[in-house]
């Protein structure tokens, strides 16, 4: 069951449909709520129309069978950039050393084309932010809030002594050890392992 407010999910779906109107090969968005609360150091943590257009670039790349990223999806290559430019996104001339061309921004023409869509989505996102950050004694925020969920933070690699690894939000690992099913030892974030030795 989705915890996404219906208005925000509907606005995300409508914004995606507007992008599809201009780029017909873009596949449907399976689950608008998958974009909410998900952080990615490569794609940017904040949900916005720019981020939605960034995700549309990945959708078109998938539809075309184009490999637009490497390094487990972190590095956005020149094929990503070429499609991003088609959709109205600009990037600096030089790629970022670890994320490539992931940091894109709307060009003025795309900003004009999508202005009403951007404004509707911004209003829905603002309402969502107010609804999820207001915290009174009488509000119920669900089990994830009661148990200190990370809320979808950036995941890092944690390793165990046998060489297995998992991706985890550091605050989740700090709450209690995550134990490897292979060797029975706890997973640790490599920087923490290096600092301890």
């Amino acid at each position: 069951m989705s915890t996404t407010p219906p208005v925000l999910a509907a606005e995300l779906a409508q914004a995606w449909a507007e992008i599809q109107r201009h780029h017909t090969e873009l596949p449907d968005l399976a689950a608008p709520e998958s974009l909410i609360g998900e952080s990615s150091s490569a794609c940017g943590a904040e949900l916005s129309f720019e981020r939605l257009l960034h995700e549309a670039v990945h959708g078109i790349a998938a539809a075309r069978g184009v490999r637009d990223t490497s390094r487990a999806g972190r590095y956005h290559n020149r094929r990503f950039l070429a499609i991003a430019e088609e959709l109205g996104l600009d990037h600096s001339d030089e790629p970022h050393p670890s994320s490539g061309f992931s940091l894109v921004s709307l060009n003025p023409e795309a900003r004009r084309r999508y202005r009403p869509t951007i404004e509707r989505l911004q209003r829905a996102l603002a309402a969502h932010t107010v609804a999820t950050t207001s915290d009174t004694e009488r509000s119920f925020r669900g089990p994830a809030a009661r148990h200190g969920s990370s809320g979808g933070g950036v995941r890092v690699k944690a390793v165990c002594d046998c060489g297995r690894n998992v991706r985890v939000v550091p605050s989740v690992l700090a709450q209690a050890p995550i134990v490897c099913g292979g060797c029975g030892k706890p997973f640790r974030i490599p920087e923490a392992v290096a600092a301890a030795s």
Side-chain angles (χ1 to χ4, degrees):
M1 181 174 172
S2 171
T3 58
T4 305
V7 172
L8 180 54
E11 284 299 335
L12 284 166
Q14 189 172 0
W16 192 265
E18 180 63 16
I19 299 168
Q20 284 179 310
R21 194 168 73 78
H22 295 279
H23 304 280
T24 56
E25 65 186 307
L26 178 62
D28 290 338
L29 182 60
E33 57 274 7
S34 67
L35 298 171
I36 301 167
E38 181 64 30
S39 295
S40 166
S41 59
C43 299
E46 185 180 339
L47 182 57
S48 64
F49 184 78
E50 217 164 60
R51 166 82 187 280
L52 196 62
L53 207 52
H54 175 124
E55 295 303 327
V57 172
H58 291 304
I60 288 176
R64 292 179 182 173
V66 171
R67 187 165 179 224
D68 63 339
T69 63
S70 59
R71 301 181 196 165
R74 290 185 307 275
Y75 190 87
H76 293 58
N77 60 35
R78 290 193 184 276
R79 291 181 293 272
F80 171 87
L81 182 58
I83 298 170
E85 288 171 350
E86 289 177 38
L87 270 67
L89 294 167
D90 288 334
H91 188 278
S92 61
D93 292 335
E94 294 301 314
H96 184 275
S98 63
S99 62
F101 295 101
S102 69
L103 302 175
V104 290
S105 60
L106 280 168
N107 68 28
E109 180 186 335
R111 193 171 298 282
R112 278 190 302 277
R113 177 187 313 136
Y114 293 114
R115 182 177 314 280
T117 304
I118 292 167
E119 290 171 357
R120 279 194 319 271
L121 186 58
Q122 284 175 334
R123 284 192 299 272
L125 286 166
H128 174 72
T129 300
V130 167
T132 57
T133 56
S134 64
D135 193 16
T136 66
E137 290 179 12
R138 298 183 51 100
S139 64
F140 176 72
R141 294 176 48 216
R146 290 194 317 271
H147 297 296
S149 169
S150 66
V154 176
R155 290 163 179 80
V156 297
K157 182 166 80 171
V159 297
C160 75
D161 293 338
C162 72
R164 297 178 74 207
N165 65 70
V166 295
R167 307 269 312 154
V168 63
V169 178
S171 62
V172 170
L173 192 59
Q175 292 173 14
I178 297 175
V179 180
C180 174
C183 70
K185 295 187 178 175
F187 284 96
R188 294 184 205 108
I189 298 171
E191 292 80 13
V193 172
S197 33

